[in-house]
């Protein structure tokens, strides 16, 4: 087995390494078209002979399907959604956007629309959860000297503002606002992507790094509940929530790379004020 491409497959001995070419010598003395064509054909043969797919066998295919079934499932998904994309009739320009999350939460939307007090209570609880996220993220920097989560949140909210302004999605007609919801006061807000979800992910990922697993699980559960509520109130589209999860992971990773880059580029530990403490570099 060889793992040089990242996916273990059986390789023939001459598949990638040690494969010698037999190009026809061309020193300028041969001028016939037959020699040029032969050299070209041999070159194609060498390229094809070196190609990875030339070494694949049925046994390799079975191995990949059995061991690497997750990317195989996604590969099937690529083919399936290619068919969907080429055959799906798009929503007319003057229609409301279609959102599968809105379809799944129609009953919740009706309940909240008929019970303004319940909508207010849930909005207040969600705002408390946002305050919990914010407090934790700022606490890790100010009290624990670990700025990664705070840097990540700064990256995330700035990019969210840029994207939200660049493509402004229409507020759903069934939107159920509340004066105690975040942003407080029923003010306008960017839909893409969800800062609620991304902020929760940033906090949860930091908790996992610090082995605060029960607290991280609690945040994940609350994140799911707030996502359902946001769909029910039409406060976000499904795509906003899904990208919010990815944004939290992405910007947490970028903040970690930023810390590593700055620690290598500058000796911050002994040069005046530093965002990064010794403990944060260890973790």
């Amino acid at each position: 087995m060889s793992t040089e491409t990242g996916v273990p497959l059986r390789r023939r001995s001459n598949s990638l390494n040690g494969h010698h070419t037999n190009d026809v010598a061309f020193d300028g003395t041969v001028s016939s078209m037959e020699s040029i064509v032969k050299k070209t054909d041999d070159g194609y043969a060498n390229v094809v002979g070196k190609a990875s797919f030339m070494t694949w066998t049925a046994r390799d295919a079975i191995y990949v399907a059995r061991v690497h079934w997750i990317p195989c499932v996604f590969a099937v998904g690529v083919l399936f959604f290619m068919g969907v994309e080429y055959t799906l009739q798009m929503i007319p320009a003057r229609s409301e956007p279609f959102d599968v999350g809105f379809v799944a939460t129609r009953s919740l939307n009706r309940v909240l629309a008929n019970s303004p007090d319940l909508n207010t209570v849930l909005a207040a609880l969600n705002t408390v959860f946002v305050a919990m996220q914010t407090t934790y993220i700022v606490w890790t920097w100010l009290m624990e000297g670990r700025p990664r989560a705070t840097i990540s949140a700064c990256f995330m909210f700035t990019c969210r503002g840029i994207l939200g302004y660049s493509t402004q999605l229409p507020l759903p007609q069934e939107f159920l606002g509340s004066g105690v919801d975040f942003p407080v006061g029923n003010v306008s807000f960017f839909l893409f992507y969800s800062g609620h979800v991304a902020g929760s992910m940033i906090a949860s990922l930091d908790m996992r790094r610090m082995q605060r697993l029960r607290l991280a699980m609690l945040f994940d559960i609350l994140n799911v509940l707030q996502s359902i509520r946001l769909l029910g109130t039409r406060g976000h589209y499904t795509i906003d929530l899904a990208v919010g999860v990815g944004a939290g992971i992405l910007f947490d990773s970028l903040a970690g790379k930023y810390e590593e880059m700055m620690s290598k580029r500058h000796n911050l530990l002994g040069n005046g004020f530093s965002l990064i403490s010794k403990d944060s570099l260890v973790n």
Side-chain angles (χ1 to χ4, degrees):
M1 290 289 186
S2 170
T3 59
E4 56 201 352
T5 61
V7 179
L9 293 173
R10 294 177 66 251
R11 301 289 188 186
R12 296 188 180 90
S13 60
N14 64 342
S15 60
L16 291 177
N17 298 318
H19 185 83
H20 301 288
T21 62
N22 296 314
D23 290 341
V24 176
F26 187 72
D27 56 5
T29 60
V30 179
S31 58
S32 67
M33 183 60 69
E34 290 80 2
S35 297
I36 297 175
V37 171
K38 187 175 188 303
K39 176 179 172 61
T40 304
D41 290 343
D42 288 346
Y44 286 148
N46 288 329
V47 170
V48 173
K50 291 180 180 180
S52 176
F53 76 90
M54 293 295 291
T55 68
W56 298 352
T57 66
R59 185 177 178 183
D60 295 334
I62 295 172
Y63 175 85
V64 171
R66 180 171 56 85
V67 177
H68 301 284
W69 62 269
I70 293 178
C72 287
V73 169
F74 278 90
V76 173
V78 170
L79 299 176
F80 173 77
F81 283 107
M82 283 178 64
V84 171
E85 185 173 358
Y86 278 93
T87 57
L88 182 67
Q89 294 296 319
M90 298 300 290
I91 299 298
R94 294 177 181 265
S95 300
E96 275 280 285
F98 171 79
D99 192 297
V100 68
F102 288 8
V103 174
T105 56
R106 280 175 180 167
S107 57
L108 177 59
N109 179 260
R110 287 194 294 266
V111 169
L112 295 178
N114 295 325
S115 305
D117 291 340
L118 176 61
N119 183 42
T120 298
V121 170
L122 294 180
L125 291 175
N126 206 154
T127 299
V128 170
F129 181 46
V130 172
M132 291 166 58
Q133 303 169 25
T134 305
T135 300
Y136 179 84
I137 289 172
V138 176
W139 177 279
T140 59
W141 174 33
L142 297 182
M143 304 304 292
E144 299 180 3
R146 299 185 300 103
R148 177 168 173 171
T150 306
I151 294 172
S152 176
C154 290
F155 288 173
M156 182 271 290
F157 278 108
T158 299
C159 290
R160 175 179 179 269
I162 294 172
L163 294 176
Y165 180 82
S166 299
T167 301
Q168 300 172 32
L169 301 175
L171 192 66
Q173 293 181 3
E174 297 178 331
F175 172 66
L176 302 174
S178 172
V180 297
D181 203 354
F182 183 85
V184 177
N186 256 338
V187 297
S188 60
F189 57 92
F190 294 131
L191 287 168
F192 188 85
Y193 43 84
S194 173
H196 289 76
V197 172
S200 302
M201 284 300 304
I202 290 171
S204 175
L205 290 169
D206 185 86
M207 293 168 186
R208 281 180 164 75
R209 272 194 301 274
M210 301 305 295
Q211 297 301 307
R212 298 165 180 166
L213 302 182
R214 291 185 178 180
L215 189 57
M217 183 177 296
L218 173 63
F219 263 58
D220 290 340
I221 293 172
L222 293 176
N223 200 4
V224 171
L225 293 177
Q226 83 165 343
S227 297
I228 296 173
R229 174 195 163 264
L230 288 169
L231 289 173
T233 62
R234 308 307 191 238
H236 272 296
Y237 294 105
T238 301
I239 192 173
D240 305 331
L241 306 176
V243 175
V245 174
I249 297 172
L250 171 64
F251 290 111
D252 176 78
S253 176
L254 291 178
K257 293 183 183 300
Y258 174 81
E259 283 189 338
E260 294 176 4
M261 179 186 70
M262 294 306 294
S263 66
K264 292 177 181 178
R265 183 175 297 179
H266 306 288
N267 186 13
L268 295 178
L269 296 178
N271 295 334
F273 175 77
S274 172
L275 283 173
I276 304 175
S277 68
K278 294 179 180 179
D279 292 338
S280 70
L281 293 177
V282 171
N283 294 324

